[in-house]
Amino acid sequence: MQISANFDSGNIKVIDATAQNNIQLAINKDNQSDFYQWFHFKLHNVNGGEHVIHLTNAGKSAYVEGWKNYNAVASYDRETWFRVPTEFDGEKLTITFTPEYDSVYFAYFAPYSYERHQDLIHSAQLSIDCQLQVLGQTLDGRDMSVLKIGEAGEGKKVVWLTARQHPGESMAEWFMEGFIERLLDEDDGAARSLLNDAVFYLVPNMNPDGSVRGHLRTNAVGSNLNREWQTPSMDKSPEVYLVREKMFATGVDLHLDIHGDEALPFNFVAGGEGTPSYNDRIKSLEDKFKEVLLNITPEFQDDKGYDKDEPGKANLTVGSCWVGEQFKCLAFTIEMPFKDNDLLPDHSFGWSDARSSLFGRDVLTAIYHVVGDLR
Ligand code: GEM
Ligand code: ZN
């Protein structure tokens, strides 16, 4: 039996793989960081039968509460990712599985590869409404790509979506795939109407280096990009620096920053209630946006989420907080679960790539309903 992670977004360290009923593995930390939780590896099965896989350092990972009621995903074809029996004893995470085929992949969530990212942005550019722009390069030399969809113009709103600042939150790029596909659908009335009213700047992957490296939370040099928005730099956080510069050039009337959450088994948003400029106008926009989502999909809820920031106490190093304050605009962090939506559980797949993509499509409807009120 062999175990490897030498591929796009791979992350595992083999401690001892001599006994298939006691495979000892560990998750590697993000480079120059203490964060770790994302795992993605391949097991080549030799003898058949049950395999017992221990992630021995799960108990000291970044978000230990993320392992409660969590089941890992597995795939034979790297397309369909299904949940597998997983237990956490407070120290190690144990996957017990009998492969049906020679080779099987395991991961924390359905991976979104850099190749798929390239396919997404290059197929999008084929649309007459879409321009593929490169803002600059990351520290590992990858493009920081933004899709400009629609045209700016007098009276038109400027809508920004950023995703996957935290590279292990791959559901964020699945969300963007669904959002982009719908926005470019020439038969979709809400999308066509939106492009009459707004221009969109979409960053499907804010952290390509961390994604390829198999990181949970940081870029190539250990920077948590979602703590860099107040004072980004080209040598620590060029990803944020470059996007901010573009935002200054375009302005922002709505910003959605797409993430995943390790612990809470729900979809939810975090708003700008703690920013200094928060006011009734922004609150009513937030309420309308949430009301639309609550009415169109059971996948969204507004009861469970992060504690609300106290007035004036928001952390302005956080993307959606900084953008909301800087541009006095509606800005949300949107969170999807690594586990499942416990209001509508799917015991075979949990929260999945497909549900993330569909949720991205639903968020387009919410934007459609608020776009006229953004200013
Ligand atoms: C969070 S996102 C924080 C959003 N907070 C507010 N008030 N807008 C983080 O970055 O720690 C969780 C995540 O990473 O998804
Ligand atoms: Zn995140």
Side-chain angles (χ1 to χ4, degrees):
M1 166 208 14
Q2 294 96 31
I3 292 175
S4 69
N6 188 18
F7 43 75
D8 181 329
S9 80
N11 182 336
I12 210 66
K13 180 164 57 184
V14 179
I15 309 284
D16 180 351
T18 49
Q20 73 179 48
N21 64 353
N22 184 23
I23 300 167
Q24 308 272 321
L25 308 177
I27 305 171
N28 296 302
K29 291 180 177 177
D30 292 6
N31 188 44
Q32 298 178 7
S33 164
D34 286 330
F35 286 118
Y36 68 88
Q37 191 128 354
W38 171 265
F39 62 88
H40 181 195
F41 60 93
K42 176 170 85 85
L43 181 149
H44 187 81
N45 164 40
V46 177
N47 307 317
E50 184 177 83
H51 290 62
V52 180
I53 303 164
H54 301 294
L55 300 189
T56 56
N57 62 347
K60 291 194 169 23
S61 66
Y63 300 98
V64 179
E65 65 279 15
W67 304 127
K68 179 172 174 260
N69 301 325
Y70 165 77
N71 289 303
V73 294
S75 181
Y76 293 115
D77 62 5
R78 308 197 316 160
E79 285 288 326
T80 301
W81 292 85
F82 51 91
R83 298 282 172 166
V84 291
T86 306
E87 296 293 332
F88 179 59
D89 65 5
E91 181 194 347
K92 61 187 183 304
L93 189 77
T94 299
I95 300 166
T96 304
F97 186 66
T98 301
E100 291 177 47
Y101 300 94
D102 297 326
S103 181
V104 56
Y105 283 78
F106 296 94
Y108 186 27
F109 193 83
Y112 197 102
S113 71
Y114 190 60
E115 283 304 303
R116 191 177 184 111
H117 168 78
Q118 296 290 8
D119 292 345
L120 174 65
I121 60 178
H122 288 89
S123 55
Q125 72 163 348
L126 301 182
S127 164
I128 193 166
D129 292 319
C130 182
Q131 275 183 4
L132 170 52
Q133 299 180 353
V134 175
L135 303 177
Q137 275 65 45
T138 64
L139 294 169
D140 284 347
R142 294 185 177 88
D143 289 347
M144 272 307 290
S145 301
V146 59
L147 296 175
K148 177 189 175 195
I149 298 179
E151 290 303 324
E154 185 61 35
K156 291 186 78 173
K157 305 301 180 349
V158 180
V159 178
W160 273 84
L161 271 69
T162 53
R164 213 174 170 183
Q165 289 195 75
H166 296 135
E169 298 165 12
S170 55
M171 62 285 284
E173 193 154 12
W174 289 110
F175 174 108
M176 293 299 287
E177 183 174 292
F179 185 89
I180 291 163
E181 281 176 357
R182 185 176 177 196
L183 188 60
L184 292 176
D185 182 349
E186 293 174 0
D187 297 324
D188 187 292
R192 290 178 54 227
S193 173
L194 265 176
L195 293 180
N196 290 333
D197 298 333
V199 59
F200 288 79
Y201 293 90
L202 309 178
V203 183
N205 190 335
M206 279 289 296
N207 196 339
D209 294 352
S211 302
V212 172
R213 286 169 172 261
H215 285 182
L216 170 73
R217 201 152 174 85
T218 72
N219 71 354
V221 293
S223 299
N224 175 357
L225 297 182
N226 209 27
R227 298 297 183 274
E228 288 289 318
W229 283 75
Q230 226 163 10
T231 53
S233 64
M234 284 303 288
D235 58 4
K236 270 188 64 187
S237 45
E239 301 90 346
V240 173
Y241 186 91
L242 291 165
V243 166
R244 262 188 27 147
E245 289 303 300
K246 185 70 176 179
M247 286 179 166
F248 283 128
T250 65
V252 186
D253 296 313
L254 165 62
H255 175 223
L256 302 178
D257 187 35
I258 318 301
H259 287 255
D261 184 84
E262 291 78 5
L264 291 171
F266 303 103
N267 291 291
F268 60 95
V269 294
E273 67 282 340
T275 57
S277 302
Y278 190 70
N279 58 27
D280 290 345
R281 179 181 78 88
I282 299 294
K283 183 182 186 314
S284 65
L285 284 170
E286 289 183 341
D287 292 345
K288 185 170 183 181
F289 187 95
K290 290 187 288 186
E291 195 60 31
V292 171
L293 279 181
L294 289 167
N295 286 328
I296 66 171
T297 176
E299 299 281 30
F300 180 72
Q301 58 79 49
D302 191 35
D303 297 322
K304 303 281 194 308
Y306 298 142
D307 294 340
K308 300 276 186 213
D309 291 328
E310 291 298 317
K313 299 291 188 194
N315 180 346
L316 297 183
T317 67
V318 166
S320 66
C321 296
W322 181 84
V323 174
E325 178 61 16
Q326 178 66 33
F327 297 97
K328 310 294 184 284
C329 69
L330 175 61
F332 273 127
T333 297
I334 295 182
E335 296 282 352
M336 291 170 281
F338 278 94
K339 298 173 185 176
D340 200 348
N341 167 16
D342 276 7
L343 301 175
L344 199 64
D346 177 330
H347 299 297
S348 301
F349 299 98
W351 190 253
S352 66
D353 47 356
R355 292 168 83 181
S356 301
S357 177
L358 287 168
F359 190 48
R361 299 174 75 90
D362 280 338
V363 164
L364 185 145
T365 301
I367 297 173
Y368 169 73
H369 281 276
V370 302
V371 70
D373 302 324
L374 290 177
R375 288 290 181 200

